[in-house]
Amino acid sequence: AHMRPDASECNWPGVQCRSTTNELEVTHLDWSMRGLSGTVPSEVRGLRSLLEVNLASNSLTGSMPQWGSDDLFWVDVSNNTFSGTLESFWQLPMLRFVYLHDNKFSGDFPADANPDMLVDCWLQQNQLGGGLPTAWEMPDLQTWRSWGNQLTGSLWQDPPSTLVQMDTSQNY
């Protein structure tokens, strides 16, 4: 992505904005398959009105960004080399579509999080450990993919009735 530093974010490639009474706000960011490398810049992490972010299939590194928007509901950072834990990520209240697969994320699922709006969650091929988040209530969950990690423990006793696909194979 070639961006002029003095250009409005709304003129950047792959960016969609909405107009408010006082300004334009970035709501969608699609920089998938753009050959990006390095860490996610603070200017991107700090976007306060971001609803969807797609950074899939690049060569991005570092930890999961601390996103500046509580309204973020679609996150795709798959097929990069992000690493580190995800505790604060799961605190985002509006998460619905989460695609974090094929990275190097590690750590356990935080017991105090409850992404209760989750619909799709693709976590396969990371280094996540601990047990599945069986205490999380996810009444709309349709897809859960966490194969190829280091997860232990039991499955949900009472999975959501909306669950269409679940793959937890190739774990411990």
Side-chain angles (χ1 to χ4, degrees):
H2 299 284
M3 294 167 266
R4 294 189 349 246
D6 61 338
S8 163
E9 293 91 347
C10 296
N11 293 325
W12 293 352
V15 171
Q16 292 179 24
C17 293
R18 71 176 169 214
S19 179
T20 64
T21 46
N22 297 329
E23 60 188 348
L24 290 173
E25 299 176 334
V26 176
T27 56
H28 297 74
L29 175 66
D30 184 354
W31 286 348
S32 60
M33 298 183 286
R34 300 227 180 203
L36 301 176
S37 60
T39 59
V40 177
S42 61
E43 294 84 359
V44 172
R45 295 188 314 260
L47 295 171
R48 308 299 267 155
S49 300
L50 200 57
L51 302 174
E52 298 181 25
V53 62
N54 186 349
L55 300 174
S57 301
N58 285 292
S59 297
L60 296 169
T61 61
S63 59
M64 171 63 85
Q66 299 281 47
W67 300 106
S69 172
D70 283 341
D71 296 327
L72 193 60
F73 73 90
W74 179 292
V75 178
D76 188 344
V77 297
S78 62
N79 297 300
N80 281 285
T81 52
F82 285 111
S83 59
T85 61
L86 297 168
E87 283 88 3
S88 60
F89 173 74
W90 293 117
Q91 305 297 331
L92 289 169
M94 303 302 286
L95 286 177
R96 293 185 61 75
F97 304 94
V98 174
Y99 307 99
L100 310 183
H101 57 91
D102 296 283
N103 279 285
K104 297 181 181 190
F105 291 120
S106 59
D108 298 351
F109 293 101
D112 63 339
N114 191 20
D116 60 348
M117 298 181 75
L118 211 52
V119 174
D120 287 340
C121 190
W122 296 25
L123 305 171
Q124 68 268 21
Q125 297 294 91
N126 278 288
Q127 300 165 1
L128 298 170
L132 288 171
T134 55
W136 289 4
E137 295 179 21
M138 299 174 283
D140 299 326
L141 187 66
Q142 294 179 14
T143 306
W144 179 275
R145 294 181 177 182
S146 60
W147 59 269
N149 280 284
Q150 299 165 10
L151 298 171
T152 60
S154 59
L155 301 176
W156 288 279
Q157 293 293 325
D158 190 18
S161 61
T162 55
L163 192 62
V164 175
Q165 182 183 55
M166 180 174 179
D167 188 346
T168 61
S169 63
Q170 300 175 15
N171 280 285
Y172 295 141

